[in-house]
Amino acid sequence: MKTVDLRKLSYTELQEQLDEAKEELFNLRFQIVTNQLDNTARIKQVRRHVARVKTLMREQEIAAWETQNKEEA
């Protein structure tokens, strides 16, 4: 999923994406240990996806915090 598509998701949907990606990463690591993984490049792709999702989640947290502080002022 591209970053443009991820930006359209809500925080809870991003959390679901993050959980799925972490589970996939765990499974890929397990496969590499048992010599069942054919495409080792997939690990790098999933790690970057996790980082991308975390970044977008943090951006949403900061935006919500700034909005809350503007309302209080």
Side-chain angles (χ1 to χ4, degrees):
M1 189 175 256
K2 294 189 176 190
T3 307
V4 175
D5 300 327
L6 288 173
R7 287 192 186 277
K8 297 175 185 175
L9 300 178
S10 68
Y11 190 84
T12 55
E13 292 171 328
L14 285 174
Q15 184 64 47
E16 290 173 6
Q17 284 277 325
L18 182 62
D19 293 341
E20 290 172 8
K22 283 186 174 184
E23 184 176 341
E24 182 180 358
L25 187 58
F26 174 79
N27 290 333
L28 290 172
R29 287 180 177 150
F30 192 84
Q31 288 176 9
I32 207 166
V33 170
T34 59
N35 288 330
Q36 296 177 352
L37 184 62
D38 296 327
N39 183 9
T40 56
R42 183 70 182 141
I43 292 176
K44 184 176 181 179
Q45 294 169 348
V46 174
R47 286 180 62 222
R48 287 187 176 190
H49 183 70
V50 167
R52 199 171 287 122
V53 170
K54 282 184 172 183
T55 300
L56 292 173
M57 289 175 69
R58 183 66 182 143
E59 285 178 1
Q60 288 184 5
E61 289 172 0
I62 291 171
W65 182 81
E66 288 175 348
T67 303
Q68 182 182 15
N69 284 343
K70 284 182 182 178
E71 292 174 358
E72 292 177 359

